[in-house]
Amino acid sequence: SSRNKSEVRWSNRRNRNTKLAYNSIADPQTTGLTEWTSWFNIDHPGGNGDYERLEAIRFYYRERVCVRPVAMEVRTTDWVAAADTGEVVHSSLDKGFWCINKEQPYDRICSNYHVRFQCPPVQAYWTDWGAWGPCSTSACNDMGIQVRRRKCVSTQPVPMLVAPPCTGPHTERRECSTSPCQAKWSQWGLWSACSGTCGKGRRGRRRTCNRSSDKMQCPGRPAEVQKCGNTPCPVLCQRMCPEGRPSEDCSHCVCEGRTLYGEVWSVTGVPVAGASVAEEAQPEPVRARTDAEGRFRVAGMCSGPGTHVLISKEKFTPASVPILNNSTEQLWVRALLRSSEKPYIVKHPEDKVRYEGQRVTLCCKAMGTPNPNKHYWYHNGTLLDQKIYKYDEGLTLRDLKPEQSGQYHCKVSSPTGSIKSTPASLSVFAKGMPPCNSTPERHLIKLPLDCKQPSTESKFFNTGRCPQNKCPGSLDFDLRCRDASAFCCGVKKLDTMEINCGSYTLPIKVVRECGCQKCVEPKILVRGRVAAADNDEPLRFGHIFLGKDRIGITGYQGGFTIHIPSDTRRLVVNFVDPAQKFIDTLKVFIFDKRGGAVYHDVKVMRKQPPIDIDAGETNTIYLGEIKGEEPIGQLIIPPNSFHKPTGETYEGTVKASVTFFDPRNITTASATPGDLNYVGDEGDILPLRTYGMFSVDFRDEANQEILGAGEVQVLLDTEHVKMQEHMSTMKLWSLNPSTGIWEEEGDFQTTQATYSEGNGRAKREERTFLIGNMEIRERRLFNLDVPENRRCYVKVRAYMSDKFLPTEQLEGVVINLINLEPKPGYSSNPRAWGRFDSVITGPNGACLPAFCDAQKPDAYTAYITAIMGGEELEAAPSTPKMNPNIIGVSQPYLDKLDYQRSDHDDPALKKTALRINLAKPNPNNLDETNGPIYPYQSLIACENAPVYANHFRFFRVEKDIYEYNVVPFQESDLTTWTGDYLSWWPNPQEFRACYIKVKVHGAAEVMVRSRNLGGTHPQTRGQLYGIRDIRSTRDMSHPNISAACLEFKCSGMLFDQAYVERSLITVLPQSNCRRTGINSLLQEYLTKHPPVLQNNVSHAFNMLAPVDPLGHNYGIYTVTDQNPRIAKEIAIGRCFDGTSDGFSREMKADEGVALTFSCPKRTVNRESLFQRLQTNPRQTLAQMAREMRESQGMQVRRGSAQVVAFPSEQQGRTQGRRGSTTSRRRPATRTQPRQ
């Protein structure tokens, strides 16, 4: 091909001068190479140059580049080959490609390059299976597995460290069992000595249970005890002391002259005051407590070999420490206490499907400090008997019955608290009951605008779909925590049919039969952008952490992508700014478990500039960020409270930065860390209402070392707490960076204090404060919160357009709700937000948690927004007239909720938010029992509400757009993908969206269509893939120019990965249009990549779709992503902007155009005689008779005939054939028809 020839010339030129051209590394044995990879561009030519290193590419795209590529192609983003740039570049198949600025002549800088690679095929086969290995278990009466293996052998030499690919598993497993377990008692031992030398005592004897398994028990008791001794004792104290004597109260032993000294510290180096000290063997009584410096002293302490001291304090894990002997009289102990952590679930039970009689294991694992030690399993909310089911971390059910279907969850407990797992669903199908209904469900698709079925006059067609439920399937081992493979009800048989559209027919694939098969497992992604909450400055190259593991960095514009393991239930991500401009921000992301990407717009708070404070003085830092408003609270740091990580007291100047999330500023709500939830006593996750959060950063002035602080006082001004019930429940909380859960730090007490405004102002007055104490350790975020139990759910749906059709609901839309405080007149602050929640829409909308009130409709209000792929959706309008049919809520409940869109009072504002009163529905009022507000206990009713029930609405602001696929596919649910040659998307793991930009000259916006047919693939040649229609968008800077970003079927491999398909694309404006221009670079590319299609018809354009991602210089926009909607959104944004890496929602019709059409508004000419006879014969004949009489001088006074114009489509066709003749016959002054 021409490209290969250019590479040879490129290589020859490189040999002549190795520093002036790019070496196109290629293996000469390239016969049968697979398709090239996607283009990669991970660096921009800033700094020292442009580096497209193979190591970095594999870091971001591990699965897209093979171990040893055999060829590499490099071009600039303007599609100029590296050899033609005249720049000094370097390359290697082992290292990649790089260009260094300082090596360039004439002080030039390197261009922006992107690269792609080519990988060789490997022909391989399996050897015979080996012998079965030993059983995996040696325990008695146990089930294990045996494994046998086979080897993949290549018929061709394979490079080192590259495994030849073979289809199928390399191992097989089967069950195996061991002999039954046994348990038997030994003979009884001798009786022990009597426990008392006087008085009554006891003696005992023991026997041993000899068993082959810990699960077996011997019947009976291992010990026997009997009474002994009758001699009365002369003294009352019976305590036996190995050394020393009993104390006066006989509670412990006393060794005269011995003293135990000790000190207790936290792991952060802070002395622990108030810790109790006791003997481990005898926790009661407490022998001493630590003082303010963490020290203690115990007189008369006895210490024998192995004596330990037990040190404990609330919120710390108890520590057992051995006693050290410094001398015969002095003993020494030093203990470190670790902060206790409530348990949190790290492994939730998985959904399982089984047949009757099979087995299943559900697993639940938790971590915490100390480690959780108790597990409880529940079925449909009922506790299972541990004695019957013998469960711990795992629950195993054997010989399953259909009645055991339902929801299972576990509760894990430790001395510090409890936590519940998310519920898992177990479905048990009875014998003979098919798990998948072979008859498809009804599923209507919308037909093209110009397609109307003559027989039914319907614009919809039933293609059928399979129910989305899982099947039991065939498992090699059924007692795993997570099944090795999942089976789903899917398409088993497709039939090809034709839809009669009147003037043409459309092929369609219809589901005829469903059956169980392996589930499609799409990738689950979270994507988004991190930017400052104040000015939208991106967090560039910020570190992204999952727990303690760094998983990536944000891009130059703050973008990020996170691949989520399929077993994830709670995604906790921490964004850390290495430059320390922003505070560390922890987010709990929602994601779509069915696959695809969910977009999140992450806001971070800018770190406050540090101030200098003296560690030896009392320091006060005010909490409040609103200018002209009083602070909400204060931090009071006593003198000498700062300490280094070693525990040493810090003396000197402290750089103190305290960043406050002021709830009176609504813009800080989106930057809220975590999800404002805590774990209750019973393990349930419950909501919090915040009165403000703050992040602290104390550092040594000299070396910027992080400092801790001891007992810091937090004062909250009660003027800002108007709800009296909140005064007693207010607590201090800190955010756990691993779990994203808020943990209690301490309570508040009411106190009177002198208030000073600070900043040199002299105003002082007595006020009531809530005061609490806390220790600042690590770099945690702290919160002033109260638990809130007045809760409801709000029903929201998102639609494709403002027509709000039930069949056009959008899934995967992120709905955000900001809870606001009550209006004036009710007992709370009207200016503050209290909570921020997010939910993803599913097939039946979304239900958002919110605070509500039953007494006052306006007690709580909320702002609600909707975002899809970074695009803000519009809310249903509230002006100029409140229309319940548009808003989706009936009267009179709508008036009670006081619905208002954000532009209600000011049309210049954005239309992307709605505000409502959160009035809890009255169960005795029928008008309020149908949504959109549901009581908290009615979550299931909210989730299952029919589409005609009350709900709030958002919609996409989209031009007229239509998509038709021969093989139906729901882009919002990737599991509906079907493997077929005519599938629009050939790969459910990776989606490639292609768009062409069409410019239109004309006063009106026009519909533009792409017909997408099979081009070069033998299985699809000449067959329709689908149709795309889009109305052109007006360029606001040009009055008579519009442009359309039109999707077309990308070229590339089909789902069988056998041949490269070049789709046949026809671009056809649906109006009276004439093609006036083709992008010269696109025309040149198509010419150099035959076959070239003829474009003899001026009203359309035909081409074989390019295989390469050409870019904006060609008017072609290609984006590859793991989610089809994200790929399309990015491609459309670039097409609107007319660039290869930009994004815009305003059409720039002159930038990056591929095709240009002229679509003038044509005047209606008078029809020819033949045309008039066809359309209106009676009036035409009458007019002919009148004209004949007039020509003979005979005036007949009758009404003149009416000339009727053709419809626009017929008019265009007719005038195209006879326009010139008609215009000669009838002057323009007489062409206007009389109506």
Side-chain angles (χ1 to χ4, degrees), residues 52 217 227 238 299 368 403 412 458 483 632 839 842 972 1005 1032 1232:
E52 309 297 335
Q217 302 292 337
K227 296 180 180 180
Q238 301 294 321
E403 55 267 22
V412 183
S458 174
D483 290 339
I632 287 179
V839 177
S972 59
E1005 298 173 341
S1032 61
Q1232 196 67 24

Side-chain angles (χ1 to χ4, degrees), residues 285-552:
V286 175
R287 303 293 297 276
R289 291 189 182 276
T290 57
D291 58 17
E293 296 180 351
R295 297 173 182 172
F296 67 88
R297 175 180 176 274
V298 180
M301 186 72 180
C302 296
S303 63
T307 303
H308 284 65
V309 174
L310 181 66
I311 301 175
S312 57
K313 186 183 178 182
E314 187 181 2
K315 298 182 182 177
F316 289 90
T317 303
S320 176
V321 186
I323 295 178
L324 304 177
N325 286 296
N326 289 348
S327 65
T328 57
E329 296 182 354
Q330 288 190 356
L331 308 175
W332 181 255
V333 164
R334 190 178 192 277
L336 290 177
L337 291 186
R338 185 180 300 275
S339 298
S340 61
E341 287 188 352
K342 288 188 175 183
Y344 59 95
I345 304 293
V346 295
K347 186 177 185 62
H348 295 263
E350 302 275 346
D351 294 343
K352 300 290 181 72
V353 185
R354 293 290 188 271
Y355 285 115
E356 182 179 4
Q358 289 186 325
R359 309 173 302 177
V360 71
T361 294
L362 302 174
C363 299
C364 174
K365 186 177 181 180
M367 301 291 288
T369 306
N371 287 326
N373 54 2
K374 295 181 181 179
H375 294 78
Y376 307 91
W377 281 93
Y378 296 80
H379 176 214
N380 292 335
T382 302
L383 178 65
L384 300 177
D385 191 341
Q386 202 275 339
K387 295 180 179 179
I388 297 176
Y389 291 94
K390 311 289 184 190
Y391 55 70
D392 44 20
E393 289 185 350
L395 171 66
T396 299
L397 303 175
R398 303 176 187 273
D399 192 20
L400 288 169
K401 299 291 188 293
E403 55 267 22
Q404 290 179 287
S405 298
Q407 300 286 324
Y408 288 82
H409 77 270
C410 73
K411 184 173 79 171
V412 183
S413 298
S414 74
T416 59
S418 303
I419 184 68
K420 290 180 180 178
S421 72
T422 57
S425 174
L426 174 63
S427 301
V428 181
F429 288 91
K431 294 180 179 178
M433 178 181 178
C436 178
N437 188 353
S438 60
T439 303
E441 298 176 346
R442 181 179 175 84
H443 179 61
L444 298 178
I445 65 166
K446 189 177 180 181
L447 299 179
L449 298 176
D450 58 349
C451 177
K452 194 172 185 179
Q453 303 172 80
S455 58
T456 62
E457 298 293 318
S458 174
K459 301 287 290 183
F460 294 88
F461 190 83
N462 179 25
T463 61
R465 67 179 175 188
C466 296
Q468 298 181 5
N469 62 275
K470 290 189 175 182
C471 302
S474 176
L475 302 173
D476 56 354
F477 189 61
D478 55 1
L479 292 182
R480 289 189 177 92
C481 293
R482 179 179 177 84
D483 290 339
S485 57
F487 296 85
C488 298
C489 186
V491 177
K492 187 176 181 180
K493 182 180 179 181
L494 283 173
D495 283 352
T496 302
M497 298 182 63
E498 287 189 346
I499 303 174
N500 183 5
C501 294
S503 59
Y504 65 96
T505 60
L506 281 177
I508 187 72
K509 295 275 188 172
V510 178
V511 179
R512 283 298 177 218
E513 185 178 355
C514 302
C516 289
Q517 53 191 313
K518 282 195 174 182
C519 300
V520 176
E521 295 188 2
K523 295 181 180 179
I524 305 174
L525 299 173
V526 162
R527 304 188 63 171
R529 179 175 179 268
V530 188
D534 53 0
N535 63 358
D536 206 41
E537 177 187 352
L539 172 59
R540 295 187 171 102
F541 312 118
H543 295 172
I544 306 174
F545 287 87
L546 280 180
K548 297 181 179 179
D549 299 327
R550 197 181 94 178
I551 60 169

Side-chain angles (χ1 to χ4, degrees), residues 22-28 30 36 52-55 57-58 65-74 90-98 115-120:
Y22 160 67
N23 181 10
S24 66
I25 298 179
D27 192 326
T30 58
W36 286 84
E52 309 297 335
R53 305 301 293 265
L54 195 55
E55 179 183 4
I57 292 173
R58 287 201 176 101
V65 184
C66 56
V67 177
R68 291 193 175 183
V70 298
M72 172 172 58
E73 184 178 0
V74 183
H90 308 271
S91 63
S92 167
L93 284 176
D94 296 327
K95 297 181 179 179
F97 173 85
W98 63 98
V115 300
R116 66 174 182 174
F117 301 90
Q118 198 174 35
C119 302

Side-chain angles (χ1 to χ4, degrees), residues 940-956:
I940 295 179
C942 179
E943 292 178 337
N944 298 332
V947 71
Y948 54 79
N950 288 337
H951 61 275
F952 296 112
R953 295 170 170 174
F954 286 87
F955 63 94
R956 293 189 67 183

